[in-house]
Structure formats: C-alpha cells, structure tokens
Amino acid sequence: MTDHAVTVWGIGSTRTFRVHWTIAELGIPCTVRSIRSRTGETRTEEYGHVNPKRKIPTLQHDDFVLSESGAIVAYLTRAFPVPPGFYVPREPRAQARLDEWVSFASMELDAHSLYLLRRHRYLPEIYGEAPEACESAVEYFSTQVGAVAERVPAGGGYLLEDFSIADVLMTTIVDWAIAYDIDLPGRLVAYRDFTARRPAYRTALRLNFPERFDNEKTA
C-alpha cells in the first residue's frame, strides 16, 4: 500500500499546511495540486469528483480519498513508516491521549474559535460581520488555551512522549492565533518556537505559503 501514488490537493491555509508538514516529516513522495480556497479552483468539475465537499485539503492515496486535515495526518502515520522520533501510540490509553489533543485543537480551538474569526472578521464580505460573535470567540479561545497552557512543556519539548501529530495540530493553531494577534501565554509561544525549528516545518512552509518566500527568490 505504501508504494502507491499520493496526491495532496490544496495549499495556502493552516489546514493544508498540517498535511504538508506531516508528509515532509514522514518523507512521503507526493504530487501537490496547488489549488486554493475562494479562487474558483475548488469549484471545478475535476475537483468535484475528488471531493464533493469542495474543501481543502484532500488526500488521494491510490484509489483511497480522504478529507479533513486531522483525519489525513492520522492516516498518514498509520499507512506509512514513521521515522525515529515520530511518536505513534500503540496502546489504547496512549492513543486516547493523542486523540484528546487532536480533538481539542481541531474542535475547541480551530472550528469553534479561529474559524469563526476567519469567516466574520477577516472575510466579512463573504460571510457577513458578527463583531459580538468574534469577541466571544477570542474570549473562548483564550479560556481554552489557558486551561491547557501548563500541560505544554516549558523550555523545549513535545505534548506527548515525542513529536506527534498532536504537535502538528497545536503548533498550527498557535501560528494561526499569532497571525490573528490573539494574546497567548508565553509558555505556549515558546513551545511553538521550539516545534517550528523542525526542518520539515520549514519545508512545508515554503510549499504551502510560497508567496512568503517570493522576496528570497528575487533577492
């Protein structure tokens, strides 16, 4: 199964970045289809056949198609060999602890808070303005992050025994919050600075946000 072709559809968002980062960590050869949201590229007939939800990212592994960034990164660690130092739990309680972090980041921080801000503060021309909802979302995000800040390792380290998809999810959440100028506990920012030093993070950043590196190409 691991020898078959892999294609990733989508760049340009936090959620697509998670997939590209995980693929870079695992060293999986893949084809990237660099479509973006709100460009019309997800509305094509070709992409509609791949993902009728017309959202990105989408993974194609041979004849298997999967969407939702959390599900994709989890699948990759089960379908492909993981390198030394990449943590994949083998015991039910350890798996549950990983699932807890992934669910928390995906739902409480991403879907319930940051994505609401994305829609109504930064894309009001599409989704409409909702200032009270945005204020509530920031407050909720801050409360939830504050509740787990002490569980984040201080001075370097990962959320579980070693680097895992939990760190992929949480780091991208912190990146997103920083971009939205949300005040964060210093411990959380230090954790993000540590995880972002990984070479695969930088590799994925260049692929997923190529416009950030345009000046380097022309310098």
Side-chain angles (χ1 to χ4, degrees), residues 6-20:
V6 173
T7 299
V8 177
W9 295 75
I11 65 168
S13 75
T14 296
R15 293 170 178 174
T16 59
F17 177 65
R18 295 167 186 164
V19 176
H20 294 301

mmCIF file with all atom_site columns, all heavy atoms in Angstrom, residues 6-20:
data_model
loop_
_atom_site.group_PDB
_atom_site.id
_atom_site.type_symbol
_atom_site.label_atom_id
_atom_site.label_alt_id
_atom_site.label_comp_id
_atom_site.label_asym_id
_atom_site.label_entity_id
_atom_site.label_seq_id
_atom_site.pdbx_PDB_ins_code
_atom_site.Cartn_x
_atom_site.Cartn_y
_atom_site.Cartn_z
_atom_site.occupancy
_atom_site.B_iso_or_equiv
_atom_site.pdbx_formal_charge
_atom_site.auth_seq_id
_atom_site.auth_comp_id
_atom_site.auth_asym_id
_atom_site.auth_atom_id
_atom_site.pdbx_PDB_model_num
ATOM 1   N N   . VAL A 1 6  ? 0.610   9.124  -4.151 1.00 0.00 ? 6  VAL A N   1
ATOM 2   C CA  . VAL A 1 6  ? -0.019  10.029 -3.197 1.00 0.00 ? 6  VAL A CA  1
ATOM 3   C C   . VAL A 1 6  ? -0.142  11.404 -3.835 1.00 0.00 ? 6  VAL A C   1
ATOM 4   O O   . VAL A 1 6  ? 0.828   11.928 -4.392 1.00 0.00 ? 6  VAL A O   1
ATOM 5   C CB  . VAL A 1 6  ? 0.787   10.127 -1.890 1.00 0.00 ? 6  VAL A CB  1
ATOM 6   C CG1 . VAL A 1 6  ? 0.217   11.204 -0.976 1.00 0.00 ? 6  VAL A CG1 1
ATOM 7   C CG2 . VAL A 1 6  ? 0.810   8.787  -1.173 1.00 0.00 ? 6  VAL A CG2 1
ATOM 8   N N   . THR A 1 7  ? -1.324  11.982 -3.758 1.00 0.00 ? 7  THR A N   1
ATOM 9   C CA  . THR A 1 7  ? -1.573  13.339 -4.231 1.00 0.00 ? 7  THR A CA  1
ATOM 10  C C   . THR A 1 7  ? -2.236  14.125 -3.116 1.00 0.00 ? 7  THR A C   1
ATOM 11  O O   . THR A 1 7  ? -3.150  13.621 -2.453 1.00 0.00 ? 7  THR A O   1
ATOM 12  C CB  . THR A 1 7  ? -2.488  13.351 -5.470 1.00 0.00 ? 7  THR A CB  1
ATOM 13  O OG1 . THR A 1 7  ? -1.861  12.623 -6.530 1.00 0.00 ? 7  THR A OG1 1
ATOM 14  C CG2 . THR A 1 7  ? -2.777  14.765 -5.930 1.00 0.00 ? 7  THR A CG2 1
ATOM 15  N N   . VAL A 1 8  ? -1.771  15.344 -2.902 1.00 0.00 ? 8  VAL A N   1
ATOM 16  C CA  . VAL A 1 8  ? -2.395  16.252 -1.941 1.00 0.00 ? 8  VAL A CA  1
ATOM 17  C C   . VAL A 1 8  ? -2.951  17.438 -2.704 1.00 0.00 ? 8  VAL A C   1
ATOM 18  O O   . VAL A 1 8  ? -2.232  18.096 -3.457 1.00 0.00 ? 8  VAL A O   1
ATOM 19  C CB  . VAL A 1 8  ? -1.396  16.740 -0.872 1.00 0.00 ? 8  VAL A CB  1
ATOM 20  C CG1 . VAL A 1 8  ? -2.066  17.745 0.050  1.00 0.00 ? 8  VAL A CG1 1
ATOM 21  C CG2 . VAL A 1 8  ? -0.852  15.576 -0.076 1.00 0.00 ? 8  VAL A CG2 1
ATOM 22  N N   . TRP A 1 9  ? -4.226  17.684 -2.508 1.00 0.00 ? 9  TRP A N   1
ATOM 23  C CA  . TRP A 1 9  ? -4.883  18.844 -3.097 1.00 0.00 ? 9  TRP A CA  1
ATOM 24  C C   . TRP A 1 9  ? -4.953  19.953 -2.046 1.00 0.00 ? 9  TRP A C   1
ATOM 25  O O   . TRP A 1 9  ? -5.497  19.748 -0.967 1.00 0.00 ? 9  TRP A O   1
ATOM 26  C CB  . TRP A 1 9  ? -6.297  18.488 -3.538 1.00 0.00 ? 9  TRP A CB  1
ATOM 27  C CG  . TRP A 1 9  ? -6.402  17.484 -4.634 1.00 0.00 ? 9  TRP A CG  1
ATOM 28  C CD1 . TRP A 1 9  ? -6.201  16.132 -4.536 1.00 0.00 ? 9  TRP A CD1 1
ATOM 29  C CD2 . TRP A 1 9  ? -6.738  17.744 -6.000 1.00 0.00 ? 9  TRP A CD2 1
ATOM 30  N NE1 . TRP A 1 9  ? -6.396  15.535 -5.754 1.00 0.00 ? 9  TRP A NE1 1
ATOM 31  C CE2 . TRP A 1 9  ? -6.733  16.497 -6.670 1.00 0.00 ? 9  TRP A CE2 1
ATOM 32  C CE3 . TRP A 1 9  ? -7.061  18.903 -6.707 1.00 0.00 ? 9  TRP A CE3 1
ATOM 33  C CZ2 . TRP A 1 9  ? -7.030  16.380 -8.022 1.00 0.00 ? 9  TRP A CZ2 1
ATOM 34  C CZ3 . TRP A 1 9  ? -7.370  18.774 -8.056 1.00 0.00 ? 9  TRP A CZ3 1
ATOM 35  C CH2 . TRP A 1 9  ? -7.339  17.543 -8.706 1.00 0.00 ? 9  TRP A CH2 1
ATOM 36  N N   . GLY A 1 10 ? -4.405  21.115 -2.398 1.00 0.00 ? 10 GLY A N   1
ATOM 37  C CA  . GLY A 1 10 ? -4.589  22.288 -1.557 1.00 0.00 ? 10 GLY A CA  1
ATOM 38  C C   . GLY A 1 10 ? -3.319  22.847 -0.960 1.00 0.00 ? 10 GLY A C   1
ATOM 39  O O   . GLY A 1 10 ? -2.455  22.105 -0.474 1.00 0.00 ? 10 GLY A O   1
ATOM 40  N N   . ILE A 1 11 ? -3.204  24.174 -1.028 1.00 0.00 ? 11 ILE A N   1
ATOM 41  C CA  . ILE A 1 11 ? -2.163  24.922 -0.326 1.00 0.00 ? 11 ILE A CA  1
ATOM 42  C C   . ILE A 1 11 ? -2.809  26.207 0.190  1.00 0.00 ? 11 ILE A C   1
ATOM 43  O O   . ILE A 1 11 ? -3.949  26.532 -0.116 1.00 0.00 ? 11 ILE A O   1
ATOM 44  C CB  . ILE A 1 11 ? -0.964  25.276 -1.240 1.00 0.00 ? 11 ILE A CB  1
ATOM 45  C CG1 . ILE A 1 11 ? -1.398  26.235 -2.361 1.00 0.00 ? 11 ILE A CG1 1
ATOM 46  C CG2 . ILE A 1 11 ? -0.307  24.024 -1.790 1.00 0.00 ? 11 ILE A CG2 1
ATOM 47  C CD1 . ILE A 1 11 ? -0.219  26.843 -3.123 1.00 0.00 ? 11 ILE A CD1 1
ATOM 48  N N   . GLY A 1 12 ? -2.042  26.938 1.001  1.00 0.00 ? 12 GLY A N   1
ATOM 49  C CA  . GLY A 1 12 ? -2.416  28.301 1.344  1.00 0.00 ? 12 GLY A CA  1
ATOM 50  C C   . GLY A 1 12 ? -3.203  28.488 2.621  1.00 0.00 ? 12 GLY A C   1
ATOM 51  O O   . GLY A 1 12 ? -3.553  29.620 2.947  1.00 0.00 ? 12 GLY A O   1
ATOM 52  N N   . SER A 1 13 ? -3.484  27.404 3.364  1.00 0.00 ? 13 SER A N   1
ATOM 53  C CA  . SER A 1 13 ? -4.229  27.561 4.608  1.00 0.00 ? 13 SER A CA  1
ATOM 54  C C   . SER A 1 13 ? -3.537  26.806 5.725  1.00 0.00 ? 13 SER A C   1
ATOM 55  O O   . SER A 1 13 ? -2.652  25.967 5.493  1.00 0.00 ? 13 SER A O   1
ATOM 56  C CB  . SER A 1 13 ? -5.665  27.041 4.461  1.00 0.00 ? 13 SER A CB  1
ATOM 57  O OG  . SER A 1 13 ? -5.686  25.618 4.465  1.00 0.00 ? 13 SER A OG  1
ATOM 58  N N   . THR A 1 14 ? -3.948  27.096 6.954  1.00 0.00 ? 14 THR A N   1
ATOM 59  C CA  . THR A 1 14 ? -3.417  26.363 8.101  1.00 0.00 ? 14 THR A CA  1
ATOM 60  C C   . THR A 1 14 ? -3.713  24.879 7.975  1.00 0.00 ? 14 THR A C   1
ATOM 61  O O   . THR A 1 14 ? -2.870  24.028 8.283  1.00 0.00 ? 14 THR A O   1
ATOM 62  C CB  . THR A 1 14 ? -4.037  26.903 9.398  1.00 0.00 ? 14 THR A CB  1
ATOM 63  O OG1 . THR A 1 14 ? -3.640  28.265 9.564  1.00 0.00 ? 14 THR A OG1 1
ATOM 64  C CG2 . THR A 1 14 ? -3.586  26.105 10.607 1.00 0.00 ? 14 THR A CG2 1
ATOM 65  N N   . ARG A 1 15 ? -4.903  24.552 7.521  1.00 0.00 ? 15 ARG A N   1
ATOM 66  C CA  . ARG A 1 15 ? -5.302  23.153 7.451  1.00 0.00 ? 15 ARG A CA  1
ATOM 67  C C   . ARG A 1 15 ? -4.529  22.388 6.378  1.00 0.00 ? 15 ARG A C   1
ATOM 68  O O   . ARG A 1 15 ? -4.170  21.228 6.574  1.00 0.00 ? 15 ARG A O   1
ATOM 69  C CB  . ARG A 1 15 ? -6.809  23.065 7.221  1.00 0.00 ? 15 ARG A CB  1
ATOM 70  C CG  . ARG A 1 15 ? -7.602  23.584 8.422  1.00 0.00 ? 15 ARG A CG  1
ATOM 71  C CD  . ARG A 1 15 ? -9.071  23.734 8.120  1.00 0.00 ? 15 ARG A CD  1
ATOM 72  N NE  . ARG A 1 15 ? -9.817  24.192 9.300  1.00 0.00 ? 15 ARG A NE  1
ATOM 73  C CZ  . ARG A 1 15 ? -11.095 24.517 9.284  1.00 0.00 ? 15 ARG A CZ  1
ATOM 74  N NH1 . ARG A 1 15 ? -11.783 24.459 8.161  1.00 0.00 ? 15 ARG A NH1 1
ATOM 75  N NH2 . ARG A 1 15 ? -11.702 24.912 10.394 1.00 0.00 ? 15 ARG A NH2 1
ATOM 76  N N   . THR A 1 16 ? -4.250  23.009 5.244  1.00 0.00 ? 16 THR A N   1
ATOM 77  C CA  . THR A 1 16 ? -3.428  22.329 4.242  1.00 0.00 ? 16 THR A CA  1
ATOM 78  C C   . THR A 1 16 ? -1.984  22.206 4.725  1.00 0.00 ? 16 THR A C   1
ATOM 79  O O   . THR A 1 16 ? -1.308  21.216 4.442  1.00 0.00 ? 16 THR A O   1
ATOM 80  C CB  . THR A 1 16 ? -3.459  23.067 2.889  1.00 0.00 ? 16 THR A CB  1
ATOM 81  O OG1 . THR A 1 16 ? -2.990  24.413 3.050  1.00 0.00 ? 16 THR A OG1 1
ATOM 82  C CG2 . THR A 1 16 ? -4.875  23.083 2.315  1.00 0.00 ? 16 THR A CG2 1
ATOM 83  N N   . PHE A 1 17 ? -1.531  23.207 5.469  1.00 0.00 ? 17 PHE A N   1
ATOM 84  C CA  . PHE A 1 17 ? -0.157  23.172 5.984  1.00 0.00 ? 17 PHE A CA  1
ATOM 85  C C   . PHE A 1 17 ? 0.071   21.955 6.871  1.00 0.00 ? 17 PHE A C   1
ATOM 86  O O   . PHE A 1 17 ? 1.144   21.337 6.836  1.00 0.00 ? 17 PHE A O   1
ATOM 87  C CB  . PHE A 1 17 ? 0.145   24.466 6.750  1.00 0.00 ? 17 PHE A CB  1
ATOM 88  C CG  . PHE A 1 17 ? 1.513   24.483 7.385  1.00 0.00 ? 17 PHE A CG  1
ATOM 89  C CD1 . PHE A 1 17 ? 2.644   24.457 6.604  1.00 0.00 ? 17 PHE A CD1 1
ATOM 90  C CD2 . PHE A 1 17 ? 1.654   24.538 8.765  1.00 0.00 ? 17 PHE A CD2 1
ATOM 91  C CE1 . PHE A 1 17 ? 3.911   24.470 7.185  1.00 0.00 ? 17 PHE A CE1 1
ATOM 92  C CE2 . PHE A 1 17 ? 2.899   24.555 9.353  1.00 0.00 ? 17 PHE A CE2 1
ATOM 93  C CZ  . PHE A 1 17 ? 4.036   24.511 8.562  1.00 0.00 ? 17 PHE A CZ  1
ATOM 94  N N   . ARG A 1 18 ? -0.920  21.590 7.682  1.00 0.00 ? 18 ARG A N   1
ATOM 95  C CA  . ARG A 1 18 ? -0.776  20.418 8.561  1.00 0.00 ? 18 ARG A CA  1
ATOM 96  C C   . ARG A 1 18 ? -0.430  19.171 7.754  1.00 0.00 ? 18 ARG A C   1
ATOM 97  O O   . ARG A 1 18 ? 0.414   18.369 8.156  1.00 0.00 ? 18 ARG A O   1
ATOM 98  C CB  . ARG A 1 18 ? -2.079  20.185 9.325  1.00 0.00 ? 18 ARG A CB  1
ATOM 99  C CG  . ARG A 1 18 ? -2.444  21.278 10.284 1.00 0.00 ? 18 ARG A CG  1
ATOM 100 C CD  . ARG A 1 18 ? -3.884  21.118 10.760 1.00 0.00 ? 18 ARG A CD  1
ATOM 101 N NE  . ARG A 1 18 ? -4.269  22.262 11.577 1.00 0.00 ? 18 ARG A NE  1
ATOM 102 C CZ  . ARG A 1 18 ? -5.522  22.586 11.881 1.00 0.00 ? 18 ARG A CZ  1
ATOM 103 N NH1 . ARG A 1 18 ? -6.514  21.833 11.422 1.00 0.00 ? 18 ARG A NH1 1
ATOM 104 N NH2 . ARG A 1 18 ? -5.782  23.640 12.623 1.00 0.00 ? 18 ARG A NH2 1
ATOM 105 N N   . VAL A 1 19 ? -1.094  19.017 6.638  1.00 0.00 ? 19 VAL A N   1
ATOM 106 C CA  . VAL A 1 19 ? -0.868  17.829 5.812  1.00 0.00 ? 19 VAL A CA  1
ATOM 107 C C   . VAL A 1 19 ? 0.522   17.867 5.183  1.00 0.00 ? 19 VAL A C   1
ATOM 108 O O   . VAL A 1 19 ? 1.263   16.874 5.210  1.00 0.00 ? 19 VAL A O   1
ATOM 109 C CB  . VAL A 1 19 ? -1.953  17.717 4.735  1.00 0.00 ? 19 VAL A CB  1
ATOM 110 C CG1 . VAL A 1 19 ? -1.667  16.538 3.800  1.00 0.00 ? 19 VAL A CG1 1
ATOM 111 C CG2 . VAL A 1 19 ? -3.327  17.565 5.384  1.00 0.00 ? 19 VAL A CG2 1
ATOM 112 N N   . HIS A 1 20 ? 0.904   19.008 4.651  1.00 0.00 ? 20 HIS A N   1
ATOM 113 C CA  . HIS A 1 20 ? 2.219   19.109 4.024  1.00 0.00 ? 20 HIS A CA  1
ATOM 114 C C   . HIS A 1 20 ? 3.338   18.930 5.051  1.00 0.00 ? 20 HIS A C   1
ATOM 115 O O   . HIS A 1 20 ? 4.382   18.342 4.738  1.00 0.00 ? 20 HIS A O   1
ATOM 116 C CB  . HIS A 1 20 ? 2.344   20.449 3.309  1.00 0.00 ? 20 HIS A CB  1
ATOM 117 C CG  . HIS A 1 20 ? 1.424   20.592 2.145  1.00 0.00 ? 20 HIS A CG  1
ATOM 118 N ND1 . HIS A 1 20 ? 1.456   19.726 1.061  1.00 0.00 ? 20 HIS A ND1 1
ATOM 119 C CD2 . HIS A 1 20 ? 0.425   21.483 1.875  1.00 0.00 ? 20 HIS A CD2 1
ATOM 120 C CE1 . HIS A 1 20 ? 0.529   20.074 0.185  1.00 0.00 ? 20 HIS A CE1 1
ATOM 121 N NE2 . HIS A 1 20 ? -0.114  21.134 0.657  1.00 0.00 ? 20 HIS A NE2 1
#
